[in-house]
mmCIF file of all heavy atoms in Angstrom:
data_model
loop_
_atom_site.group_PDB
_atom_site.id
_atom_site.type_symbol
_atom_site.label_atom_id
_atom_site.label_comp_id
_atom_site.label_asym_id
_atom_site.label_seq_id
_atom_site.Cartn_x
_atom_site.Cartn_y
_atom_site.Cartn_z
ATOM 1 N N THR A 11 8.827 6.201 -9.267
ATOM 2 C CA THR A 11 8.716 7.459 -8.523
ATOM 3 C C THR A 11 8.069 8.537 -9.369
ATOM 4 O O THR A 11 7.165 9.264 -8.893
ATOM 5 C CB THR A 11 10.104 7.915 -8.036
ATOM 6 O OG1 THR A 11 10.655 6.904 -7.192
ATOM 7 C CG2 THR A 11 10.002 9.242 -7.273
ATOM 8 N N ALA A 12 8.516 8.648 -10.620
ATOM 9 C CA ALA A 12 7.882 9.603 -11.531
ATOM 10 C C ALA A 12 6.421 9.241 -11.767
ATOM 11 O O ALA A 12 5.552 10.147 -11.775
ATOM 12 C CB ALA A 12 8.658 9.631 -12.856
ATOM 13 N N LEU A 13 6.107 7.956 -11.940
ATOM 14 C CA LEU A 13 4.725 7.567 -12.107
ATOM 15 C C LEU A 13 3.865 7.859 -10.890
ATOM 16 O O LEU A 13 2.694 8.277 -11.026
ATOM 17 C CB LEU A 13 4.621 6.075 -12.427
ATOM 18 C CG LEU A 13 5.076 5.650 -13.837
ATOM 19 C CD1 LEU A 13 5.083 4.132 -13.973
ATOM 20 C CD2 LEU A 13 4.173 6.269 -14.877
ATOM 21 N N LEU A 14 4.398 7.636 -9.678
ATOM 22 C CA LEU A 14 3.653 7.957 -8.464
ATOM 23 C C LEU A 14 3.328 9.457 -8.381
ATOM 24 O O LEU A 14 2.211 9.812 -7.996
ATOM 25 C CB LEU A 14 4.428 7.511 -7.222
ATOM 26 C CG LEU A 14 4.375 5.990 -6.964
ATOM 27 C CD1 LEU A 14 5.372 5.655 -5.839
ATOM 28 C CD2 LEU A 14 2.973 5.557 -6.616
ATOM 29 N N LEU A 15 4.307 10.306 -8.703
ATOM 30 C CA LEU A 15 4.071 11.725 -8.653
ATOM 31 C C LEU A 15 3.012 12.124 -9.657
ATOM 32 O O LEU A 15 2.084 12.915 -9.387
ATOM 33 C CB LEU A 15 5.364 12.461 -8.911
ATOM 34 C CG LEU A 15 6.380 12.391 -7.777
ATOM 35 C CD1 LEU A 15 7.697 13.056 -8.231
ATOM 36 C CD2 LEU A 15 5.896 13.069 -6.530
ATOM 37 N N LEU A 16 3.063 11.545 -10.844
ATOM 38 C CA LEU A 16 2.083 11.852 -11.914
ATOM 39 C C LEU A 16 0.696 11.347 -11.487
ATOM 40 O O LEU A 16 -0.293 12.007 -11.680
ATOM 41 C CB LEU A 16 2.510 11.169 -13.224
ATOM 42 C CG LEU A 16 1.588 11.394 -14.402
ATOM 43 C CD1 LEU A 16 1.591 12.888 -14.796
ATOM 44 C CD2 LEU A 16 2.073 10.553 -15.584
ATOM 45 N N LEU A 17 0.664 10.153 -10.897
ATOM 46 C CA LEU A 17 -0.576 9.574 -10.405
ATOM 47 C C LEU A 17 -1.268 10.504 -9.422
ATOM 48 O O LEU A 17 -2.453 10.774 -9.476
ATOM 49 C CB LEU A 17 -0.383 8.198 -9.778
ATOM 50 C CG LEU A 17 -1.572 7.606 -9.049
ATOM 51 C CD1 LEU A 17 -2.629 7.158 -10.061
ATOM 52 C CD2 LEU A 17 -1.142 6.445 -8.203
ATOM 53 N N ILE A 18 -0.490 11.008 -8.465
ATOM 54 C CA ILE A 18 -1.075 11.863 -7.407
ATOM 55 C C ILE A 18 -1.644 13.158 -7.977
ATOM 56 O O ILE A 18 -2.745 13.563 -7.638
ATOM 57 C CB ILE A 18 0.015 12.166 -6.308
ATOM 58 C CG1 ILE A 18 0.309 10.882 -5.546
ATOM 59 C CG2 ILE A 18 -0.472 13.268 -5.351
ATOM 60 C CD1 ILE A 18 1.518 11.010 -4.623
ATOM 61 N N VAL A 19 -0.928 13.733 -8.910
ATOM 62 C CA VAL A 19 -1.383 14.992 -9.486
ATOM 63 C C VAL A 19 -2.673 14.716 -10.324
ATOM 64 O O VAL A 19 -3.697 15.424 -10.166
ATOM 65 C CB VAL A 19 -0.311 15.636 -10.381
ATOM 66 C CG1 VAL A 19 -0.837 16.778 -11.212
ATOM 67 C CG2 VAL A 19 0.843 16.115 -9.509
ATOM 68 N N VAL A 20 -2.594 13.733 -11.207
ATOM 69 C CA VAL A 20 -3.756 13.443 -12.090
ATOM 70 C C VAL A 20 -4.966 12.987 -11.292
ATOM 71 O O VAL A 20 -6.082 13.457 -11.503
ATOM 72 C CB VAL A 20 -3.346 12.414 -13.172
ATOM 73 C CG1 VAL A 20 -4.579 11.909 -13.949
ATOM 74 C CG2 VAL A 20 -2.330 12.994 -14.127
ATOM 75 N N TYR A 21 -4.738 12.132 -10.301
ATOM 76 C CA TYR A 21 -5.875 11.608 -9.525
ATOM 77 C C TYR A 21 -6.494 12.710 -8.711
ATOM 78 O O TYR A 21 -7.750 12.758 -8.595
ATOM 79 C CB TYR A 21 -5.376 10.491 -8.584
ATOM 80 C CG TYR A 21 -6.502 9.812 -7.842
ATOM 81 C CD1 TYR A 21 -7.248 8.824 -8.430
ATOM 82 C CD2 TYR A 21 -6.826 10.224 -6.534
ATOM 83 C CE1 TYR A 21 -8.322 8.239 -7.725
ATOM 84 C CE2 TYR A 21 -7.903 9.672 -5.893
ATOM 85 C CZ TYR A 21 -8.627 8.663 -6.468
ATOM 86 O OH TYR A 21 -9.671 8.127 -5.807
ATOM 87 N N SER A 22 -5.738 13.578 -8.128
ATOM 88 C CA SER A 22 -6.311 14.643 -7.304
ATOM 89 C C SER A 22 -7.150 15.592 -8.185
ATOM 90 O O SER A 22 -8.241 16.010 -7.752
ATOM 91 C CB SER A 22 -5.254 15.368 -6.516
ATOM 92 O OG SER A 22 -4.363 16.029 -7.425
ATOM 93 N N LEU A 23 -6.664 15.900 -9.350
ATOM 94 C CA LEU A 23 -7.441 16.795 -10.241
ATOM 95 C C LEU A 23 -8.668 16.092 -10.736
ATOM 96 O O LEU A 23 -9.755 16.712 -10.851
ATOM 97 C CB LEU A 23 -6.568 17.257 -11.399
ATOM 98 C CG LEU A 23 -5.425 18.182 -11.059
ATOM 99 C CD1 LEU A 23 -4.562 18.438 -12.304
ATOM 100 C CD2 LEU A 23 -5.917 19.468 -10.488
ATOM 101 N N LEU A 24 -8.617 14.813 -10.981
ATOM 102 C CA LEU A 24 -9.767 14.056 -11.435
ATOM 103 C C LEU A 24 -10.788 13.968 -10.315
ATOM 104 O O LEU A 24 -11.984 14.130 -10.582
ATOM 105 C CB LEU A 24 -9.364 12.648 -11.881
ATOM 106 C CG LEU A 24 -10.426 11.737 -12.400
ATOM 107 C CD1 LEU A 24 -11.009 12.323 -13.692
ATOM 108 C CD2 LEU A 24 -9.866 10.350 -12.665
ATOM 109 N N ALA A 25 -10.366 13.688 -9.106
ATOM 110 C CA ALA A 25 -11.293 13.636 -7.985
ATOM 111 C C ALA A 25 -11.988 14.966 -7.741
ATOM 112 O O ALA A 25 -13.190 15.029 -7.442
ATOM 113 C CB ALA A 25 -10.541 13.191 -6.741
ATOM 114 N N LEU A 26 -11.232 16.051 -7.892
ATOM 115 C CA LEU A 26 -11.828 17.383 -7.736
ATOM 116 C C LEU A 26 -12.834 17.670 -8.856
ATOM 117 O O LEU A 26 -13.922 18.180 -8.603
ATOM 118 C CB LEU A 26 -10.726 18.421 -7.783
ATOM 119 C CG LEU A 26 -11.170 19.842 -7.602
ATOM 120 C CD1 LEU A 26 -11.797 20.108 -6.240
ATOM 121 C CD2 LEU A 26 -9.990 20.799 -7.840
ATOM 122 N N ALA A 27 -12.503 17.269 -10.071
ATOM 123 C CA ALA A 27 -13.440 17.477 -11.217
ATOM 124 C C ALA A 27 -14.744 16.647 -10.997
ATOM 125 O O ALA A 27 -15.816 17.144 -11.309
ATOM 126 C CB ALA A 27 -12.752 17.064 -12.523
ATOM 127 N N VAL A 28 -14.606 15.430 -10.519
ATOM 128 C CA VAL A 28 -15.784 14.637 -10.277
ATOM 129 C C VAL A 28 -16.633 15.230 -9.207
ATOM 130 O O VAL A 28 -17.864 15.292 -9.307
ATOM 131 C CB VAL A 28 -15.379 13.177 -9.908
ATOM 132 C CG1 VAL A 28 -16.548 12.394 -9.385
ATOM 133 C CG2 VAL A 28 -14.798 12.490 -11.094
ATOM 134 N N ALA A 29 -16.009 15.772 -8.157
ATOM 135 C CA ALA A 29 -16.794 16.441 -7.087
ATOM 136 C C ALA A 29 -17.528 17.671 -7.636
ATOM 137 O O ALA A 29 -18.652 17.934 -7.198
ATOM 138 C CB ALA A 29 -15.841 16.824 -5.954
ATOM 139 N N ILE A 30 -16.915 18.396 -8.528
ATOM 140 C CA ILE A 30 -17.564 19.572 -9.098
ATOM 141 C C ILE A 30 -18.763 19.171 -9.989
ATOM 142 O O ILE A 30 -19.800 19.728 -9.915
ATOM 143 C CB ILE A 30 -16.549 20.420 -9.863
ATOM 144 C CG1 ILE A 30 -15.545 21.072 -8.909
ATOM 145 C CG2 ILE A 30 -17.235 21.463 -10.735
ATOM 146 C CD1 ILE A 30 -14.356 21.755 -9.558
ATOM 147 N N VAL A 31 -18.509 18.122 -10.801
ATOM 148 C CA VAL A 31 -19.587 17.632 -11.699
ATOM 149 C C VAL A 31 -20.775 17.154 -10.876
ATOM 150 O O VAL A 31 -21.942 17.342 -11.245
ATOM 151 C CB VAL A 31 -19.073 16.583 -12.668
ATOM 152 C CG1 VAL A 31 -20.191 15.841 -13.369
ATOM 153 C CG2 VAL A 31 -18.102 17.161 -13.662
ATOM 154 N N LEU A 32 -20.505 16.435 -9.801
ATOM 155 C CA LEU A 32 -21.567 15.886 -8.945
ATOM 156 C C LEU A 32 -22.196 16.952 -8.064
ATOM 157 O O LEU A 32 -23.216 16.664 -7.362
ATOM 158 C CB LEU A 32 -21.065 14.739 -8.074
ATOM 159 C CG LEU A 32 -20.566 13.514 -8.785
ATOM 160 C CD1 LEU A 32 -20.010 12.500 -7.763
ATOM 161 C CD2 LEU A 32 -21.726 12.870 -9.574
ATOM 162 N N GLN A 33 -21.644 18.138 -8.084
ATOM 163 C CA GLN A 33 -22.107 19.256 -7.239
ATOM 164 C C GLN A 33 -22.221 18.850 -5.799
ATOM 165 O O GLN A 33 -23.263 19.025 -5.170
ATOM 166 C CB GLN A 33 -23.432 19.790 -7.782
ATOM 167 C CG GLN A 33 -23.295 20.364 -9.184
ATOM 168 C CD GLN A 33 -24.585 20.906 -9.722
ATOM 169 O OE1 GLN A 33 -25.666 20.807 -9.075
ATOM 170 N NE2 GLN A 33 -24.523 21.552 -10.849
ATOM 171 N N LEU A 34 -21.146 18.354 -5.227
ATOM 172 C CA LEU A 34 -21.130 17.872 -3.886
ATOM 173 C C LEU A 34 -21.277 19.002 -2.858
ATOM 174 O O LEU A 34 -21.770 18.762 -1.755
ATOM 175 C CB LEU A 34 -19.874 17.130 -3.584
ATOM 176 C CG LEU A 34 -19.796 15.699 -4.182
ATOM 177 C CD1 LEU A 34 -18.485 15.045 -3.848
ATOM 178 C CD2 LEU A 34 -20.946 14.869 -3.667
ATOM 179 N N GLN A 35 -20.904 20.225 -3.213
ATOM 180 C CA GLN A 35 -21.033 21.321 -2.244
ATOM 181 C C GLN A 35 -22.507 21.590 -1.928
ATOM 182 O O GLN A 35 -22.853 22.148 -0.882
ATOM 183 C CB GLN A 35 -20.328 22.572 -2.732
ATOM 184 C CG GLN A 35 -20.913 23.199 -3.982
ATOM 185 C CD GLN A 35 -20.312 22.646 -5.282
ATOM 186 O OE1 GLN A 35 -19.671 21.613 -5.282
ATOM 187 N NE2 GLN A 35 -20.519 23.335 -6.384
#
Side-chain angles (χ1 to χ4, degrees):
T11 301
L13 286 174
L14 283 171
L15 291 172
L16 181 66
L17 170 72
I18 291 170
V19 170
V20 170
Y21 185 83
S22 63
L23 292 174
L24 182 65
L26 180 64
V28 169
I30 291 171
V31 168
L32 294 177
Q33 296 181 354
L34 285 179
Q35 65 272 16

